Amino acid sequence: MIEKNVCLKPYNTFGLGAQAKLMARVDSVSNLQEILADNSLHNEPRFILGGGSNILLTKDIDALVIKNEISGIELINETEDSFFVKSGAGIPWHELVMHCITNGYAGIENLSLIPGNVGAAPMQNIGAYGVELKDVFHVLEAVELATGNVRSFSASECEFGYRESVFKRKLKDEFVISSVTLRLNKQANLNTSYGAIDQELERLGISSPTIKDVSQAVIGIRQSKLPDPKVLGNSGSFFKNPVVQTVIYEELKTKYPEIPGYPAGENTKLAAGWLIEQCGWKGKVVGNTGSHGKQALVLVNYGNATGVEIFNLSEQIMKSVYDTFGVQLEREVNVY
Ligand code: EPU
């Protein structure tokens, strides 16, 4: 069924009230193919919506919004050391993480509580606490919008980078991801090196953690810093952490000895949250929006913000970080 003039407020984690001209919910590949083949819809531009957790809507969507609700989680194969788990793209990411933890499939415990759906995970190679989707990715299936054909993409074909993939670049708006298959471990290989996890486990009094304990620790850390989109509209980190030449980082360090920097190949990754905080934005309220008081990298909607207001705030933040540090921030969130 095609719905008309749908308010998208419940479908984006910023809680922005843009309207979709038309909306089709699809719950299977064949259902999606039917919509793509429907002649009466052929003249409509298409817009693919997943969990709406990485989008800033600055205007109404004068298009057919295809809401991906393809579900199902299945153990499709097992080898001596791995489980291959296939998930529909419309499953909320955290639901998949919980399913894996309950069944003892290890590898995505550090990615607990990330908002959004499974289909969005490879789009921007989600990552947190030292783990990225690409570390556990096996294969995905996607439907080509122009033809309705299903194609598989291996990890190398996805061209994963830091919050990047081929679906955000070369193949932008060409495919709808329908399923993602992960290769998870039978023997947990815990990654608690990200300082805060060890501290949280210690606080919880856990000395030999299980994947469930690591997940609980990550959930605790995230809840202490990141606002719950159900309570306060937001889209996680609004900007990427900028990667600069190490000589630039060294120069900045002579002027700002406290500046955090992490090796990224031969370059250095800076902490955008730190740069934004130094410019005085952390916790600052601007109209109906602002930078979150516990994590400056997160922009929030205090209730009645428009996408344009949030976009304008992001421009101001980018300008002041550039004027102060000479570093250009890039948005992680997709702006429409
Ligand atoms: N920092 C500040 N002030 C702030 C925020 C951070 O000084 O307001 C400093 C921290 O003290 C720390 C450094 O910045 O030295 C890094 O902070 P944090 O560990 O909170 O992580 P992040 O770099 O801000 C990234 C991801 C998050 C992910 C965390 C944990 C990006 C853009 N963001 O944030 O991902 O959860 O690491 O791994 O890479 C997301 O992408 O939406 C997201 C939440």
Side-chain angles (χ1 to χ4, degrees), residues 104-131:
Y105 311 153
I108 50 175
E109 50 285 351
N110 292 36
L111 302 180
S112 297
L113 212 63
I114 294 185
N117 286 355
V118 168
M123 287 280 280
Q124 57 151 350
N125 183 25
I126 56 169
Y129 309 104
V131 175

Side-chain angles (χ1 to χ4, degrees), residues 48-278:
I48 311 305
L49 186 64
S53 63
N54 206 36
I55 178 107
L56 179 71
L57 295 169
T58 62
K59 54 181 188 281
D60 290 340
I61 305 184
D62 188 17
L64 168 66
V65 171
I66 298 178
K67 176 124 176 40
N68 191 337
E69 296 183 350
I70 300 174
S71 65
I73 303 177
E74 210 187 333
L75 177 66
I76 54 163
N77 194 11
E78 211 177 315
T79 59
E80 204 179 313
D81 49 17
S82 307
F83 294 111
F84 292 82
V85 179
K86 180 175 178 176
S87 170
I91 295 274
W93 172 262
H94 185 63
E95 191 179 316
L96 174 62
V97 174
M98 288 295 104
H99 176 92
C100 291
I101 286 168
T102 306
N103 287 284
Y105 311 153
I108 50 175
E109 50 285 351
N110 292 36
L111 302 180
S112 297
L113 212 63
I114 294 185
N117 286 355
V118 168
M123 287 280 280
Q124 57 151 350
N125 183 25
I126 56 169
Y129 309 104
V131 175
E132 283 184 334
L133 179 84
K134 72 170 171 47
D135 304 330
V136 291
F137 180 88
H138 179 57
V139 71
L140 67 77
E141 281 176 338
V143 178
E144 191 174 21
L145 284 172
T147 61
N149 292 341
V150 180
R151 185 181 146 186
S152 292
F153 287 81
S154 66
S156 67
E157 287 169 323
C158 290
E159 299 178 15
F160 291 126
Y162 167 55
R163 297 295 192 277
E164 280 298 344
S165 78
V166 74
F167 303 104
K168 274 180 93 171
R169 301 256 170 206
K170 264 188 281 177
L171 299 182
K172 191 169 169 12
D173 300 330
E174 289 188 29
F175 283 87
V176 183
I177 296 171
S178 53
S179 74
V180 178
T181 302
L182 305 179
R183 180 186 188 137
L184 297 162
N185 299 319
K186 291 196 168 172
Q187 198 72 44
N189 181 11
L190 298 181
N191 182 341
T192 60
S193 54
Y194 204 94
I197 297 188
D198 275 337
Q199 279 167 28
E200 181 71 9
L201 287 168
E202 209 178 293
R203 197 184 67 79
L204 297 169
I206 294 163
S207 51
S208 39
T210 61
I211 53 173
K212 189 164 182 212
D213 296 328
V214 172
S215 169
Q216 283 304 320
V218 167
I219 289 172
I221 301 164
R222 289 188 76 97
Q223 284 177 338
S224 72
K225 283 196 192 177
L226 299 169
D228 178 351
K230 290 196 192 92
V231 180
L232 194 59
N234 76 90
S235 193
S237 300
F238 194 90
F239 303 99
K240 291 185 192 180
N241 284 327
V243 176
V244 299
Q245 286 178 345
T246 299
V247 293
I248 307 247
Y249 170 63
E250 297 297 345
E251 270 170 35
L252 285 167
K253 209 168 163 61
T254 55
K255 208 164 161 200
Y256 309 97
E258 307 285 297
I259 188 170
Y262 312 92
E266 52 190 31
N267 298 319
T268 300
K269 192 187 271 186
L270 305 178
W274 187 90
L275 300 170
I276 296 168
E277 181 173 350
Q278 297 305 305

